[in-house]
Amino acid sequence: MKLYKYIDGKCNASGSKIKILRETAGLSQEQLAAKIQLEGLNLNQKAISRIENGERVVPDFELIFFSKVLKVPVCVLLDLWQN
């Protein structure tokens, strides 16, 4: 399967927004990973780092977990939400 890159060669459209929201919430990558694990998705700190750096694809079902833990709609993670 060929993976197409997003903007600037990144593998996802949500990583930079996830990082901003995580930092705004005062969470470390490890803490975010722990919260996501408690919701039922097995992600570790390394996976969070790779997502935020755009090195890892984020499947749509994973966005639901980030949305729940970070308390924002999925559209915010994709920068589709205009404030």
Side-chain angles (χ1 to χ4, degrees), residues 26-65:
L27 298 171
S28 68
Q29 290 177 342
E30 188 69 39
Q31 290 168 322
L32 178 58
K35 287 180 176 287
I36 288 176
Q37 289 170 12
L38 287 173
E39 291 297 328
L41 181 62
N42 189 20
L43 283 183
N44 59 24
Q45 178 275 326
K46 180 70 174 172
I48 300 292
S49 175
R50 292 184 65 228
I51 288 168
E52 290 182 354
N53 291 326
E55 299 168 359
R56 182 185 180 279
V57 171
V58 183
D60 54 1
F61 72 91
E62 289 183 357
L63 287 175
I64 296 167
F65 288 90

